Amino acid sequence: MSENISPFAPDEFPTLPPLRGFTMATAEAGVKYRARTDLWVLRCDPGTQVAGVFTQNRCPGAPVDWSRKALRATSGGPRLVVVNSGTANVFSGQAGRDAVLETARGAAHAFGGSPDTVQIASTGVIGVALKAEKLVAQFSDMADRLAPDGWAAAARAIMTTDTFAKGTTQTAMIGDTRVTLNGIAKGSGMIAPDMATMLAYIATDAAIDAATLQSLLAEFTGPTFNSVTVDSDTSTSDTLLLLASGAAGNSDDDLTDFRRALHAVMFELSQQIVRDGEGISKLITIKVSGAVSDTSAHVIAKSVANSPLVKTAVAGEDANWGRIVMAVGKAGEPAERDALSIHIGPHLLATKGQPDPNYHEEMGATYMKQREIEFHIDLGLGDGAATVYASDLTHAYIDINADYRS
Amino acid sequence: MSENISPFAPDEFPTLPPLRGFTMATAEAGVKYRARTDLWVLRCDPGTQVAGVFTQNRCPGAPVDWSRKALRATSGGPRLVVVNSGTANVFSGQAGRDAVLETARGAAHAFGGSPDTVQIASTGVIGVALKAEKLVAQFSDMADRLAPDGWAAAARAIMTTDTFAKGTTQTAMIGDTRVTLNGIAKGSGMIAPDMATMLAYIATDAAIDAATLQSLLAEFTGPTFNSVTVDSDTSTSDTLLLLASGAAGNSDDDLTDFRRALHAVMFELSQQIVRDGEGISKLITIKVSGAVSDTSAHVIAKSVANSPLVKTAVAGEDANWGRIVMAVGKAGEPAERDALSIHIGPHLLATKGQPDPNYHEEMGATYMKQREIEFHIDLGLGDGAATVYASDLTHAYIDINADYRS
């Protein structure tokens, strides 16, 4: 864990209210960390609908393999979510698979439900098998302490290199029924989610079927979790779950306001992740317009967002738009040097293949001192647009990652 | 320019002999740097055959646009190569195009030949138009000083953030005729060449036609310049030229030994570039075997080579093979976690989806203290193989790039 708190850390964790249909507990299982919680169990009442997306990394962890299957499994009992920090249980072979099974069985035994439906996630160092007995040893006591409150504690228990706990809440109306959505997440490094983020859990008391939940996740993941990047590295453990207990008892199926609220929760959690990007000193917003398609715009924005030379220039408060041109050009997407224009904040820097005559270096130098930097790149080719959010690349990133395991 | 010399810098620049058919000069044109040379002109005797590859970046500089055309142009006179450091003359609009034309005309006037056949390259900051008059002002004096010697001076004149001048030489037999190849290059940052490197010039006195030269370049660029990476950023100015004066007068067309020598020159220059990677403390060799194809192996090796988390782990002397698994998995190429094996140097770290039982952390810890680190990743799927060379990611990289322009 880093000693330096992100400059974007909120003053305090928001108040996430208890949600009907969900109880939880955290514990100090001692997986790796000492003197802090590292285990969270969420118990979802019978009937809870679930949707999820997982990492597209070709070498996922045993928990991801298990949880993909668990998503489709059903039973009459409660559904459980078990998350530990300290080890990712990735590339841990048969021992890792055994640990997942043992965890699922232990959890179902203590909290009810079927092992097959237990959602398991582990986050931390790769290549070390989880010692499931450390988790299982806590379950009985945790079962006695299950409570509807505890979202802030949960957000803390799942942190690894995060410098602040991440959570948000929204309410929405479905017909005449007020429903609530709570979300927590963790993530700070190895962040370039691909169809999912590190770990994010969103729970609601709304009554919405699993298929609808899944399609909502698919729709909103692109512009939220898949539009932030810290270091271009895609985790082997990315997991995003959406759980709906149905306890609110809504019957109307007009999800207009719920969609707004869900998007807001997903956007806010993804923002908190990038704003806690390892070593971040400045947040970079890259808006691309005028591309031949939205997908093309997204690829170009990601190319700029992941360029080490762009990220170090921002860290150095250098309005080095030449590196932006380079990163646009290397993306491999349609781009024409002489049709391109680039704004940094309100300033038009470059247009028609050359620096704008009204731009002076002092404008950029002053603007770059801000903590939040926005680049707007217009390609002048079509209607495609995308926005990506990134952290900069600083000495602190190297400090964190050159000795993460030690 | 960096004050810290790469730990991989050679003790001295090799001795590159004069080559029949080529003369050259350098000068202090004062484009940006002070008290150092920043301009090189190479004059190639009439009849010299030329081949070249250029950046695949979609936003190339005006000199690249010009030089692509110049490659196909011919005249009865000498062919000229003009290279300056200090500004890249990229994204410099009409002023940049005018500067290229003015440079070509001025060079042809002073050194002979047609402006259309002048090869021009500029390297340095993007977004600033070259002041051609600064180059042209030097040409008359340089024409008086043209000499067959001067390769070391040329290699120094084209440096930007390089910490050492790069050059190599080979001889080869074509039939009974001994021919010589000299190569110089520059490059240190913005290095992930795509069909070319930063700037590299290879000259030979052999008599070989342009079409053959071009096919040799195409064949050898993949395993040499395209297999090194510093920061995954592809320059807008990458240029690789191969010039053959024919002065050796060889008639035999058995190029077996010439091919060996050319490959050796290209490999050595590409090695010198990655070994001068900005901020390098360790050289990383990534060998991938067992992939479904050579191309797939290359993509996977590049994914590992460009992963900030792998590069920082190496800088921190951490044998963090979990990050290698992650980088293999995120490449998007066929890979099976449980078929994968990973060696670090002589040590088998991981196999069949888990750490090898005979591996102990101390083995990796000791090995990682070396200056040259080798990862061997076997995918266990097919016969595809590739090797990529990379620098690590250090504080010095950030120091160099957070304030390059100031």
Side-chain angles (χ1 to χ4, degrees):
Chain A
M1 300 224 289
S2 174
E3 293 142 33
N4 299 309
I5 306 298
S6 164
F8 296 96
D11 291 336
E12 54 185 20
F13 192 82
T15 303
L16 272 55
L19 279 184
R20 291 165 290 180
F22 300 97
T23 55
M24 68 194 76
T26 58
E28 296 184 15
V31 172
K32 178 187 174 203
Y33 305 123
R34 296 288 171 260
R36 59 155 278 191
T37 55
D38 57 1
L39 176 60
W40 173 50
V41 173
L42 176 70
R43 184 184 180 282
C44 314
D45 280 358
T48 292
Q49 301 289 295
V50 59
V53 286
F54 299 91
T55 183
Q56 294 300 304
N57 192 298
R58 300 287 186 110
C59 297
V64 167
D65 285 347
W66 173 275
S67 296
R68 272 191 228 276
K69 283 188 198 156
L71 203 61
R72 296 188 298 268
T74 53
S75 79
R79 185 178 287 272
L80 307 173
V81 177
V82 179
V83 185
N84 76 273
S85 56
T87 171
N89 197 20
V90 168
F91 213 75
S92 48
Q94 189 58 45
R97 288 187 287 272
D98 291 345
V100 169
L101 181 61
E102 191 182 337
T103 301
R105 285 178 176 163
H109 180 73
F111 304 99
S114 161
D116 294 345
T117 64
V118 179
Q119 282 287 333
I120 296 175
S122 296
T123 176
V125 174
I126 294 175
V128 179
L130 175 66
K131 290 186 167 54
E133 63 273 20
K134 291 195 173 183
L135 308 192
V136 174
Q138 300 295 325
F139 287 160
S140 170
D141 179 62
M142 292 172 81
D144 291 341
R145 294 188 285 108
L146 283 176
D149 220 336
W151 289 98
R156 283 195 299 273
I158 65 176
M159 288 166 63
T160 55
T161 55
D162 305 65
T163 74
F164 62 86
K166 300 170 180 65
T168 191
T169 185
Q170 287 273 336
T171 59
M173 297 302 293
I174 304 180
D176 296 333
T177 309
R178 177 177 300 274
V179 303
T180 303
L181 297 88
N182 284 350
I184 62 170
K186 66 83 53 178
S188 182
M190 208 178 274
I191 297 283
D194 192 5
M195 287 311 292
T197 181
M198 292 295 286
L199 301 183
Y201 298 92
I202 302 169
T204 178
D205 53 3
I208 303 174
D209 66 274
T212 303
L213 296 176
Q214 190 70 44
S215 76
L216 289 171
L217 274 194
E219 179 179 351
F220 295 143
T221 298
T224 59
F225 293 106
N226 284 0
S227 291
V228 302
T229 182
V230 170
D231 50 17
S232 79
D233 279 336
T234 301
S235 164
T236 44
S237 303
D238 291 347
T239 299
L240 164 62
L241 286 190
L242 173 57
L243 301 140
S245 71
N250 54 283
S251 52
D252 194 289
D253 61 358
D254 177 1
L255 295 181
T256 308
D257 195 43
F258 182 86
R259 288 168 55 87
R260 173 201 58 73
L262 177 61
H263 179 271
V265 167
M266 291 171 69
F267 185 79
E268 175 61 22
L269 290 179
S270 69
Q271 280 291 311
Q272 290 186 25
I273 287 172
V274 70
R275 283 164 191 259
D276 199 13
E278 288 175 344
I280 188 171
S281 75
K282 292 176 190 286
L283 178 76
I284 316 169
T285 300
I286 299 124
K287 294 189 173 178
V288 172
S289 59
V292 296
S293 69
D294 289 352
T295 301
S296 181
H298 185 81
V299 171
I300 290 168
K302 274 278 182 84
S303 178
V304 175
N306 285 325
S307 161
L309 289 171
V310 170
K311 292 163 90 82
T312 48
V314 172
E317 302 189 337
D318 178 5
N320 193 325
W321 55 269
R323 295 183 182 174
I324 300 176
V325 175
M326 174 279 299
V328 169
K330 78 164 179 166
E333 292 293 316
E336 287 175 20
R337 182 185 63 205
D338 298 340
L340 204 59
S341 71
I342 298 172
H343 280 80
I344 298 192
H347 308 298
L348 175 63
L349 272 75
T351 182
K352 295 183 180 138
Q354 60 189 308
D356 186 75
N358 295 315
Y359 174 74
H360 304 292
E361 291 281 345
E362 312 85 67
M363 297 175 182
T366 302
Y367 179 78
M368 294 299 288
K369 293 188 190 307
Q370 296 186 189
R371 213 170 61 178
E372 302 196 17
I373 303 296
E374 183 172 307
F375 298 142
H376 182 187
I377 301 154
D378 190 274
L379 295 162
L381 300 178
D383 296 326
T387 302
V388 164
Y389 305 87
S391 52
D392 56 351
L393 177 55
T394 65
H395 285 294
Y397 178 86
I398 291 181
D399 286 335
I400 294 165
N401 285 300
D403 61 355
Y404 172 51
R405 298 203 310 173
S406 55
Chain B
M1 299 226 287
S2 175
E3 293 142 33
N4 299 309
I5 305 298
S6 164
F8 296 95
D11 291 336
E12 54 185 20
F13 192 82
T15 302
L16 272 57
L19 280 184
R20 290 164 289 180
F22 300 97
T23 55
M24 68 193 78
T26 57
E28 296 184 16
V31 172
K32 178 188 172 202
Y33 306 121
R34 294 289 171 261
R36 57 156 278 191
T37 56
D38 57 0
L39 176 60
W40 173 50
V41 173
L42 176 71
R43 184 184 179 283
C44 313
D45 279 359
T48 292
Q49 299 290 295
V50 59
V53 286
F54 299 91
T55 183
Q56 293 301 305
N57 192 298
R58 301 288 187 111
C59 297
V64 168
D65 285 347
W66 174 273
S67 295
R68 271 191 227 278
K69 282 188 199 158
L71 202 61
R72 297 188 298 269
T74 52
S75 79
R79 186 178 286 272
L80 307 174
V81 177
V82 179
V83 185
N84 75 274
S85 56
T87 170
N89 198 19
V90 168
F91 213 75
S92 47
Q94 189 58 46
R97 288 188 288 273
D98 290 346
V100 169
L101 180 61
E102 192 182 338
T103 301
R105 285 178 175 163
H109 180 74
F111 303 99
S114 161
D116 295 344
T117 64
V118 179
Q119 282 287 333
I120 296 175
S122 296
T123 176
V125 174
I126 295 174
V128 180
L130 174 67
K131 289 186 169 55
E133 63 273 20
K134 292 194 172 182
L135 308 192
V136 174
Q138 301 295 324
F139 287 159
S140 171
D141 179 61
M142 292 171 81
D144 292 340
R145 294 188 284 111
L146 283 176
D149 219 336
W151 288 98
R156 283 195 299 274
I158 66 175
M159 288 167 62
T160 56
T161 57
D162 304 64
T163 74
F164 62 86
K166 299 169 180 66
T168 190
T169 185
Q170 287 273 337
T171 58
M173 296 303 293
I174 304 180
D176 297 332
T177 310
R178 179 177 299 275
V179 303
T180 303
L181 298 88
N182 284 350
I184 62 170
K186 64 84 53 179
S188 183
M190 207 180 276
I191 297 282
D194 191 5
M195 286 310 293
T197 183
M198 290 295 286
L199 301 183
Y201 297 92
I202 303 169
T204 178
D205 52 3
I208 302 175
D209 66 273
T212 302
L213 296 176
Q214 189 70 43
S215 78
L216 289 172
L217 275 194
E219 179 180 350
F220 294 144
T221 299
T224 59
F225 293 106
N226 284 359
S227 292
V228 300
T229 181
V230 170
D231 51 15
S232 80
D233 280 335
T234 302
S235 164
T236 43
S237 302
D238 291 347
T239 298
L240 164 62
L241 285 190
L242 173 57
L243 301 140
S245 71
N250 53 284
S251 53
D252 194 289
D253 60 359
D254 177 1
L255 294 182
T256 308
D257 196 43
F258 183 85
R259 287 169 54 88
R260 173 202 58 73
L262 176 61
H263 179 271
V265 167
M266 290 171 70
F267 185 79
E268 176 61 22
L269 291 179
S270 70
Q271 281 290 313
Q272 290 186 24
I273 288 173
V274 69
R275 283 162 191 260
D276 199 13
E278 287 175 344
I280 189 170
S281 75
K282 291 177 191 287
L283 177 76
I284 316 169
T285 301
I286 299 124
K287 295 189 172 177
V288 172
S289 60
V292 296
S293 69
D294 290 351
T295 302
S296 181
H298 185 81
V299 171
I300 289 167
K302 275 278 183 86
S303 178
V304 175
N306 285 326
S307 161
L309 288 171
V310 171
K311 291 163 92 81
T312 49
V314 172
E317 301 188 338
D318 179 6
N320 194 325
W321 55 269
R323 294 182 182 175
I324 299 176
V325 175
M326 173 282 297
V328 169
K330 78 164 181 167
E333 291 294 316
E336 286 176 22
R337 181 185 63 205
D338 298 340
L340 204 59
S341 71
I342 299 173
H343 280 80
I344 298 192
H347 308 298
L348 176 63
L349 272 75
T351 181
K352 297 184 180 139
Q354 60 190 309
D356 186 75
N358 296 316
Y359 175 73
H360 305 291
E361 292 281 344
E362 311 84 68
M363 297 175 181
T366 302
Y367 179 77
M368 294 299 288
K369 293 189 190 306
Q370 297 185 190
R371 213 170 62 177
E372 302 197 16
I373 303 296
E374 182 171 307
F375 299 141
H376 182 186
I377 301 154
D378 190 274
L379 295 163
L381 300 178
D383 296 326
T387 301
V388 164
Y389 306 87
S391 52
D392 56 350
L393 177 55
T394 65
H395 285 295
Y397 178 86
I398 292 181
D399 285 336
I400 293 165
N401 285 301
D403 62 354
Y404 172 50
R405 299 202 311 173
S406 56

